Amino acid sequence: MNDKVSPARQPRGGFVLVVVLIVIAMLSFGGYAFSELMLAEHKAARLQGESVQARALAQSGVELASAYLSLPAKERQEFGGHLQNPERFQGVLVMGGEAGERVGRVTLIAPPRVEETPPKLRFGLATESSRLNLATLLDWEAAQPGAARAALLNLPAMTEDLADAILDWIDADDAPREFGAESEHYDKLEPAYSPPNRVPATLDELLWVRGVTRALLYGEDRNRNGYVDAHELDLADPARDQQKSSGPFGWAAYLTLASAEGGAAAGQAKIDLNSDDLKKLYDDLLRALDQEAATFIVAYRQFGPYAGSAANSDGQPLPPDLELPAKFRIESVLDLIAARVQVAHPNLPPLVLPSPFANERAAMQEYLPRLSDLTTTAGGRVVGRINVNEAPREVLMCVPGIGAGLVEDIISKRGREPEAISEERRHVTWLLTEGLVDLEQMKQLAKFLTAGGDVFRAQTIGYLADGPICRAEFVLDATEGRARLVSWIDLERLGRGYDYELLGNNLATNSRPNTPTP
């Protein structure tokens, strides 16, 4: 019998070891993959948490602006104003600041000044009254046919066809203007749609208007950071080289849907000169001004302006008969300047009262700011007047009857880069007191112009040190007490837009600028 083992049946040494090694390798790869997955999940969760924090920081910028707007006018000026105030609105510390803590900040950036080349960053807010309100155009058109088209034609690259098409889109009728378009045009498109015949809710709606392109409406600044970056120039539409440019920021930099002014000054409601309660009006004017002014204003409401030739009466006027009703309105405080009133008293000859408000520049510089601070003829919210201190040339030119010469004088007087509004120019009547217009011109322009505005726009940017950035554009309406958020547009899809250094990340981590307390 042969006891030798056949070679085919010899034991295979080390086979189990190989299998074990393969299993260990597979487990190792599985553990590595699981570890990588968990790390990725952890990173995603951390980034998600930081993104939520960045959004909360951005929202705190709205609260910062709201608190600032709740301050009386004098305190706003002491705070540094809204136009360019990096100390208060750049890199404001919101969270962290202690050793080892993660720092979170917010920065508010106002829209760029379209006349600056290159534009400069402005840390603060801009009034919507520096733009042309589309809703106001219809009022101008009703008072003066053709005024709306004439206004729009002052915008860069605007044509009669485009202007009439925009006006047809927002007016209430369905009759096309000379160069416009109504339902008859839009019904033939694929897909067909109809103009809403109302003021749009957002400027984006204008992209549905015949002939309006994104390039015309928003310009080349695609990421809306106030600059035309090199990559944006590379993406520019070649067809735009064949047409007049609407500017780097497009028509959106000149238009608004929200400009308005409230009826309060210095934290208190103004005296409504057109109030029907003459007793309360007289008492309020006595406290705010003096007896001569209170008597004259009440008499003006009762008897209206006097254009006759009778001489002014001598002596102190009698107190007004407050039982007589008001029959006349005061359209503007300017109506009171150099006016006369003939007052009828029982059993006495008529008295002719001269205005205590003289048509003399030196005197007007004294009384007009105070009169404008304390009184109003609008009785509350006023929509659509244009801010003479901040509006660019193109928007000022939209004002009916203003003239190119006066616009150049205004820009020259106020300076081309205004960073703060002086006390002397907080009311539009500075055009009168500084001799740019006479009284009659001022009365006409006061219907369209203001020196302020209570609706504001800015970008709010919340960010963590070396972390994500949340960017949004907002509009706040402060015409009625506490500021109300009327618009919030997320801009995160357009990219970061700004470097950390520009936003204020280089400020000391424990820097906490004084913030307004509502």
Side-chain angles (χ1 to χ4, degrees):
M1 184 174 182
N2 188 357
D3 295 329
K4 290 184 179 180
V5 179
S6 170
R9 299 175 61 188
Q10 288 182 356
R12 298 178 181 179
F15 177 76
V16 174
L17 180 60
V18 172
V19 172
V20 170
L21 290 175
I22 292 174
V23 172
I24 291 174
M26 292 178 65
L27 290 174
S28 298
F29 282 123
Y32 177 77
F34 180 77
S35 175
E36 285 293 301
L37 179 61
M38 291 300 99
L39 288 173
E41 289 290 336
H42 173 74
K43 184 176 181 181
R46 180 173 59 82
L47 289 175
Q48 177 65 23
E50 290 180 347
S51 296
V52 171
Q53 286 182 307
R55 174 168 287 268
L57 291 168
Q59 291 169 340
S60 73
V62 178
E63 294 303 315
L64 170 63
S66 179
Y68 166 79
L69 295 176
S70 70
L71 298 175
K74 183 177 180 180
E75 292 185 33
R76 290 187 195 179
Q77 288 299 103
E78 293 172 352
F79 192 72
H82 68 271
L83 287 174
Q84 172 65 304
N85 194 348
E87 181 181 356
R88 308 295 188 175
F89 295 123
Q90 181 189 17
V92 178
L93 187 67
V94 178
M95 55 174 268
E98 302 297 331
E101 289 184 340
R102 190 75 180 275
V103 172
R105 299 179 183 275
V106 66
T107 291
L108 298 185
I109 296 180
R113 295 184 62 82
V114 295
E115 59 266 43
E116 287 182 340
T117 305
K120 300 175 183 176
L121 277 185
R122 296 191 298 165
F123 298 98
L125 310 163
T127 60
E128 286 294 274
S129 296
S130 63
R131 302 176 179 219
L132 176 64
N133 193 318
L134 286 177
T136 304
L137 284 177
L138 300 180
D139 296 333
W140 293 1
E141 182 78 3
Q144 184 179 332
R149 182 205 283 178
L152 286 175
L153 286 175
N154 288 289
L155 303 185
M158 185 64 71
T159 65
E160 290 180 325
D161 288 12
L162 289 166
D164 277 4
I166 291 172
L167 293 172
D168 276 335
W169 186 266
I170 67 177
D171 66 19
D173 62 57
D174 202 35
R177 296 166 187 262
E178 182 180 5
F179 304 106
E182 285 282 4
S183 296
E184 184 179 356
H185 167 78
Y186 298 103
D187 287 345
K188 298 175 182 177
L189 301 180
E190 286 292 339
Y193 54 93
S194 297
N197 292 332
R198 57 162 175 75
V199 177
T202 67
L203 288 180
D204 274 353
E205 283 189 35
L206 295 181
L207 294 172
W208 293 89
V209 176
R210 184 200 66 190
V212 176
T213 65
R214 185 167 292 276
L216 287 171
L217 187 58
Y218 290 112
E220 292 116 350
D221 181 24
R222 299 187 178 214
N223 64 0
R224 303 193 197 181
N225 68 344
Y227 296 90
V228 180
D229 302 307
H231 72 278
E232 291 171 330
L233 285 176
D234 294 338
L235 293 172
D237 183 357
R240 292 203 63 197
D241 296 335
Q242 309 301 320
Q243 58 182 308
K244 184 180 177 183
S245 171
S246 63
F249 313 116
W251 296 336
Y254 304 95
L255 299 175
T256 182
L257 304 166
S259 60
E261 305 156 66
Q268 296 179 348
K270 292 185 178 184
I271 300 170
D272 181 6
L273 296 182
N274 289 312
S275 169
D276 290 330
D277 188 344
L278 293 187
K279 184 179 186 309
K280 182 178 187 305
L281 173 62
Y282 182 71
D283 291 341
D284 290 342
L285 290 172
L286 275 180
R287 287 190 293 268
L289 300 174
D290 55 44
Q291 184 174 2
E292 183 183 11
T295 299
F296 180 82
I297 291 172
V298 170
Y300 190 106
R301 291 290 316 283
Q302 292 173 327
F303 301 99
Y306 174 66
S309 59
N312 296 337
S313 302
D314 296 328
Q316 185 73 17
L318 296 174
D321 181 358
L322 298 177
E323 297 300 321
L324 294 175
K327 296 181 179 179
F328 295 86
R329 283 183 56 83
I330 300 173
E331 298 301 326
S332 164
V333 294
L334 299 170
D335 292 345
L336 302 173
I337 298 176
R340 298 199 304 162
V341 175
Q342 188 176 64
V343 180
H345 282 285
N347 305 320
L348 289 174
L351 301 177
V352 177
L353 305 182
S355 172
F357 308 109
N359 187 10
E360 299 173 357
R361 283 179 59 185
M364 288 189 291
Q365 288 172 351
E366 291 293 326
Y367 71 72
L368 261 181
R370 178 170 174 77
L371 191 61
S372 299
D373 276 341
L374 297 174
T375 68
T376 180
T377 59
R381 182 183 173 92
V382 181
V383 175
R385 292 196 296 192
I386 291 173
N387 187 322
V388 72
N389 292 321
E390 297 184 42
R393 176 184 287 101
E394 293 85 350
V395 175
L396 288 175
M397 284 295 299
C398 294
V399 174
I402 194 168
L406 178 55
V407 168
E408 294 305 319
D409 289 343
I410 291 171
I411 291 174
S412 176
K413 277 278 189 179
R414 75 185 188 186
R416 296 186 181 274
E417 299 180 12
E419 294 188 356
I421 305 302
S422 66
E423 278 291 299
E424 296 77 15
R425 292 180 179 170
R426 67 183 185 274
H427 299 292
V428 71
T429 49
W430 71 262
L431 301 181
L432 175 62
T433 58
E434 295 190 25
L436 274 67
V437 298
D438 60 27
L439 180 58
E440 290 306 312
Q441 287 176 294
M442 189 72 257
K443 287 181 180 179
Q444 293 302 313
L445 292 174
K447 302 172 185 177
F448 308 106
L449 294 174
T450 181
D454 295 303
V455 182
F456 294 81
R457 178 188 300 264
Q459 280 190 32
T460 178
I461 305 168
Y463 56 100
L464 298 161
D466 300 320
I469 287 178
C470 176
R471 186 161 65 104
E473 183 178 68
F474 68 91
V475 175
L476 281 176
D477 184 333
T479 58
E480 300 175 356
R482 180 72 176 175
R484 176 174 58 91
L485 182 66
V486 297
S487 173
W488 171 282
I489 301 175
D490 279 314
L491 300 178
E492 292 178 84
R493 60 185 175 79
L494 301 179
R496 173 173 296 179
Y498 303 94
D499 293 332
Y500 285 110
E501 289 74 16
L502 289 175
L503 298 176
N505 197 48
N506 56 333
L507 300 178
T509 57
N510 61 353
S511 173
R512 189 183 294 273
N514 294 329
T515 55
T517 301

